[in-house]
């Protein structure tokens, strides 16, 4: 397939920090970036999706094992959970970048030495809260003090301690004016646009310098800093730069244009990625070539998702896949609400939406049309006669979907894309009900053939377009229709009359309640 316009798309989510256990917010990011990657690939672009894991130093990871009660490999503690979650969600990725990778460490060494040479790093005394476990500095507002006197980070629950030590600081204050000018010149840098006013407001005030690494004893060639003591945010930046280095290396004469880099993050990470990262790139004179999408959170209601009273943000994505299946979860998370918003969901909401859209509208419409073909057309795609205006209206609606979907994907408006596609699916159901082809077999078989053919071809278009969202369901539908070309450049090729189709099967099952105490999904296992 020729790559459209020579453009190369790179998609990443926020760094997953071991020993963080992935939650529904992480799954939300993974699914969204996967959908964009699949769509762009089907649309003829070169696409690379990178999965990133921030693996902390061995001592910290052993400490995490003590806290979590898990005895696992120090280097990859919990990082395999993030990779496994992506596979469970049917999320594809081209490469996993770890902060323990040589590429990451080399990039960070260059980055650090450059900032040091520019005078943008200096040593001073840090007095404040610090977590050895995740290498993060915490403000007083971000620390929770328990009844037993224990101190933990409010955001992650890891232990923190009051620390007074020499520390490297980054001169963030030096870059306020440049950051403000950058964001005013790049209104498209952050989406949704509703995130920009708060960020611009924060840049109108003085920015404090930020602690980035404890200045513990010098290690060989590291100019006084320890890789293990770096703050999590800057470890993530080093990983992103390792990605950028790979992007530059991947460019060739066939793909000469600047890669389009989309970095998907949660809204709580916006300040780090929209202020800290650009400032460091300005310091090191590296082009700011990425774009941010800061999504809200999908919060499960504690009384409905698991039947327990767990905190909403702690919803286990593995449990959701066990309970509902991955296509159902993929569809629900991207259809229920705008991707940039924060919203709550419930068991009833998941079931109501997916049963209506997937099990009823899509699966029933496809099954009814395929059953008509099986019963009245000898199991082969009929040859249509001259279509009437009603047939052409339906075909035109389907043909208009691809350009609409391209616009929605570029804006990460997944809910609107799915709304348009499902509007056409509903039109197929109404079209069959209104035309009643089953009553035309003896009175007007040519008209019956045209109706069945038109509905089949529209379902073909739908099947191709829903591949990024519900890949397994789309595959079942396209298999039922015996579609040979499943990329977007094949949408103009109508379904071939005379093609023999298999016996009709429902492409999406009705929901059935699964046992509440079901064994967990093993690494490498395929969820139902």
């Amino acid at each position: 397939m020729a790559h459209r316009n020579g453009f190369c798309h790179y998609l990443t989510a926020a760094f997953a920090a071991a020993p963080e256990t992935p939650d529904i917010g992480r799954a939300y990011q993974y699914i969204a970036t996967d959908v964009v990657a699949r769509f762009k690939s089907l649309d003829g672009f070169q696409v690379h999706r990178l999965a990133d894991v921030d693996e902390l130093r061995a001592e910290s990871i052993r400490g995490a094992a003590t806290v979590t009660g898990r005895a696992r490999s120090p280097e990859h503690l919990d990082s395999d959970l993030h990779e496994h979650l992506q596979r469970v969600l049917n999320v594809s990725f081209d490469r996993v970048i770890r902060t323990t990778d040589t590429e990451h460490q080399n990039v960070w060494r260059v980055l650090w030495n450059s900032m040091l040479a520019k005078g943008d790093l200096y040593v001073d005394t840090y007095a404040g809260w610090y977590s050895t476990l995740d290498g993060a500095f915490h403000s007083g507002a971000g620390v929770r003090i328990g009844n037993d006197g224990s101190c933990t980070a409010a955001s992650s629950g890891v232990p923190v301690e009051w620390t007074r030590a020499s520390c490297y600081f980054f001169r963030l204050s030096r870059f306020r004016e440049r950051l403000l000018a950058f964001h005013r010149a790049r209104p498209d840098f952050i989406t949704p646009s509703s995130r920009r006013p708060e960020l611009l407001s924060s840049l109108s005030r003085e920015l404090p310098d930020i602690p980035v690494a404890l200045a513990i004893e010098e290690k060989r060639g590291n100019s006084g800093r320890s890789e293990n003591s770096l703050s999590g945010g800057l470890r993530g930046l080093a990983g992103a730069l390792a990605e950028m280095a790979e992007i530059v290396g991947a460019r060739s004469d066939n793909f000469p244009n600047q890669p389009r880099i989309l970095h998907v993050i949660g809204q709580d990470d916006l300040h780090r990625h929209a202020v800290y990262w650009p400032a460091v790139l300005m310091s090191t004179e590296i082009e700011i070539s990425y774009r941010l999408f800061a999504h809200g959170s999908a919060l499960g209601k504690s009384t409905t998702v698991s039947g327990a009273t767990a905190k909403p943000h702690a919803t286990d994505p593995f449990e959701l896949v066990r309970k509902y299946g991955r296509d159902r979860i993929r569809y629900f998370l991207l259809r229920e609400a705008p991707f940039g918003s924060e919203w709550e969901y419930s068991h009833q909401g998941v079931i109501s939406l997916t049963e209506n859209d997937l099990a009823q509208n899509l699966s029933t419409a496809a099954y009814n049309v395929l059953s008509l073909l099986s019963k009245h057309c000898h199991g082969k795609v009929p040859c249509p006669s001259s279509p009437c205006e009603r047939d052409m209206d339906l075909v035109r609606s389907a043909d208009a979907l691809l350009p609409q979907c391209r616009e929605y994907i570029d804006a990460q408006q997944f809910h609107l894309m799915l709304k348009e596609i499902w509007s056409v699916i509903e039109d197929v159901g109404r079209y069959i009900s209104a035309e009643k082809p089953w009553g035309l077999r003896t009175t007007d078989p040519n008209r019956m053939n045209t109706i069945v053919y038109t509905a089949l071809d529209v379902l073909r278009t739908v099947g191709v377009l829903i591949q990024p969202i519900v890949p397994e369901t789309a595959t079942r539908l396209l298999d039922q229709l015996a579609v040979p070309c499943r990329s977007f450049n094949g949408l103009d090729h109508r379904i071939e009359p005379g093609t023999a189709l298999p016996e009709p099967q429902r492409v999406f099952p009705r929901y059935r309640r699964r046992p509440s105490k079901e064994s967990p999904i093993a690494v490498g296992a395929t969820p139902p």
Side-chain angles (χ1 to χ4, degrees):
M1 183 193 305
H3 293 286
R4 299 180 65 235
N5 302 322
F7 280 114
C8 176
H9 289 259
Y10 278 75
L11 297 114
T12 66
F15 252 68
E20 170 199 280
T21 299
D23 59 12
I24 188 62
R26 186 67 63 178
Y28 202 30
Q29 287 183 11
Y30 290 158
I31 292 170
T33 54
D34 181 64
V35 167
V36 177
R38 287 176 183 267
F39 187 97
K40 291 296 182 181
S41 180
L42 288 167
D43 206 14
F45 290 95
Q46 184 189 29
V47 177
H48 288 267
R49 186 187 173 280
L50 295 101
D52 321 304
V53 180
D54 179 9
E55 295 171 324
L56 303 179
R57 61 179 177 163
E59 294 89 342
S60 298
I61 294 175
R62 281 194 286 270
T66 301
V67 171
T68 61
R70 295 172 179 158
R72 304 178 68 183
S73 163
E75 273 199 351
H76 293 166
L77 179 73
D78 283 351
S79 63
D80 58 337
L81 277 180
H82 290 272
E83 290 183 50
H84 180 46
L85 174 60
Q86 295 185 68
R87 292 188 175 94
V88 164
L89 293 167
N90 202 6
V91 168
S92 60
F93 51 88
D94 297 286
R95 187 185 169 193
V96 178
I97 291 183
R98 304 175 185 274
T99 52
T100 52
D101 288 347
T102 300
E103 297 96 321
H104 165 89
Q105 295 173 359
N106 289 341
V107 168
W108 178 249
R109 187 173 292 110
V110 171
L111 184 74
W112 181 272
N113 290 336
S114 176
M115 291 189 292
L116 202 61
K118 296 284 182 60
D120 291 330
L121 289 176
Y122 65 92
V123 177
D124 202 347
T125 299
Y126 172 76
W129 296 101
Y130 179 76
S131 169
T132 304
L133 191 62
D134 61 7
F137 300 88
H138 297 272
S139 66
V143 173
R144 182 186 298 114
I145 301 177
N147 294 332
D148 59 355
S150 63
C151 301
T152 57
S155 59
S156 62
V158 299
V160 299
E161 57 184 353
W162 186 262
T163 302
R164 184 178 181 86
S166 292
C167 178
Y168 282 98
F169 286 80
F170 175 67
R171 296 186 192 276
L172 183 64
S173 57
R174 179 179 287 180
F175 296 91
R176 187 183 70 84
E177 291 296 334
R178 289 179 65 184
L179 286 167
L180 195 57
F182 168 77
H183 282 289
R184 285 173 174 166
R186 286 278 306 275
D188 63 335
F189 180 70
I190 299 169
T191 48
S193 58
S194 57
R195 308 279 188 226
R196 294 189 72 246
E198 183 179 352
L199 181 72
L200 292 175
S201 176
S202 71
L203 291 174
S204 68
R205 303 183 294 271
E206 291 300 319
L207 293 176
D209 294 346
I210 57 172
V212 296
L214 297 181
I216 59 183
E217 76 178 79
E218 182 169 339
K219 294 196 173 184
R220 289 178 296 175
N222 285 348
S223 303
R225 60 92 189 168
S226 164
E227 178 77 32
N228 296 327
S229 69
L230 296 175
S231 69
L234 293 189
R235 272 195 306 273
L237 175 58
L241 290 172
E243 294 171 7
M244 293 179 193
E246 180 171 302
I247 290 168
V248 172
R251 291 177 64 183
S252 68
D253 293 338
N254 293 327
F255 311 106
N257 297 311
Q258 177 67 31
R260 295 175 174 179
I261 306 170
L262 175 64
H263 190 56
V264 179
I265 59 173
Q267 59 186 359
D268 294 341
D269 290 328
L270 180 60
H271 196 78
R272 181 196 310 167
H273 294 84
V275 177
Y276 298 170
W277 283 25
V280 170
L281 294 176
M282 289 174 181
S283 170
T284 53
E285 299 181 6
I286 297 174
E287 181 183 2
I288 304 171
S289 57
Y290 65 94
R291 183 170 67 83
L292 292 174
F293 189 97
H295 66 80
S297 300
L299 303 175
K301 295 180 181 178
S302 59
T303 57
T304 55
V305 173
S306 64
T309 57
K311 294 179 181 179
H313 69 271
T315 301
D316 180 1
F318 294 102
E319 176 62 26
L320 292 180
V321 174
R322 274 193 294 269
K323 191 169 187 177
Y324 301 116
R326 51 190 173 192
D327 266 12
R328 193 183 291 267
I329 286 298
R330 287 173 65 103
Y331 182 84
F332 176 77
L333 288 177
L334 297 183
R335 175 66 178 90
E336 177 69 3
F339 184 55
S341 65
E342 185 166 310
W343 49 284
E344 288 189 344
Y345 66 90
S346 66
H347 168 77
Q348 188 54 46
V350 174
I351 297 305
S352 177
L353 178 66
T354 57
E355 285 293 284
N356 181 71
D357 286 10
L358 294 171
Q360 177 59 37
N361 289 339
L362 174 62
S363 188
T364 299
Y367 184 77
N368 288 345
V369 173
L370 289 165
S371 294
L372 282 168
L373 177 139
S374 178
K375 293 177 181 178
H376 305 305
C377 304
H378 308 291
K380 294 183 179 180
V381 176
C383 184
S385 57
S386 300
C388 68
E389 192 62 28
R390 296 187 301 276
D391 308 325
M392 293 308 301
D393 283 344
L394 184 60
V395 171
R396 282 191 287 263
S397 295
D399 289 347
L401 285 175
L402 179 57
Q404 293 172 337
C405 289
R406 283 173 175 155
E407 293 182 10
Y408 291 136
I409 280 288
D410 286 341
Q412 290 79 60
Q413 293 179 322
F414 308 111
H415 68 298
L416 295 180
M417 180 180 82
L418 291 173
K419 182 180 178 181
E420 292 294 338
I421 294 174
W422 255 258
S423 175
V424 171
I425 293 171
E426 292 169 0
D427 286 344
V428 172
R430 286 190 286 266
Y431 171 76
I432 293 297
S433 296
E435 298 298 323
K436 298 180 175 59
W438 54 86
L440 300 173
R441 182 180 182 182
T442 56
T443 59
D444 195 347
N446 287 337
R447 177 62 189 151
M448 179 197 72
N449 289 342
T450 300
I451 296 167
V452 173
Y453 180 89
T454 300
L456 285 171
D457 198 60
V458 170
L459 288 172
R460 174 192 62 88
T461 299
V462 164
V464 170
L465 291 175
I466 64 174
Q467 289 178 99
I469 302 286
V470 283
E472 292 174 319
T473 302
T475 295
R476 287 192 291 269
L477 176 57
L478 295 174
D479 286 348
Q480 289 270 292
L481 297 172
V483 177
C485 182
R486 302 185 180 187
S487 60
F488 294 167
N489 67 356
L491 283 173
D492 291 338
H493 304 300
R494 302 296 181 189
I495 197 164
E496 188 68 28
T499 303
L501 301 187
E503 283 296 312
Q505 302 287 333
R506 292 194 175 273
V507 298
F508 192 85
R510 292 285 186 182
Y511 174 74
R512 61 177 179 85
R513 184 178 295 277
R514 296 183 176 121
S516 58
K517 293 184 178 180
E518 195 169 331
S519 60
I521 299 174
V523 173
T526 301

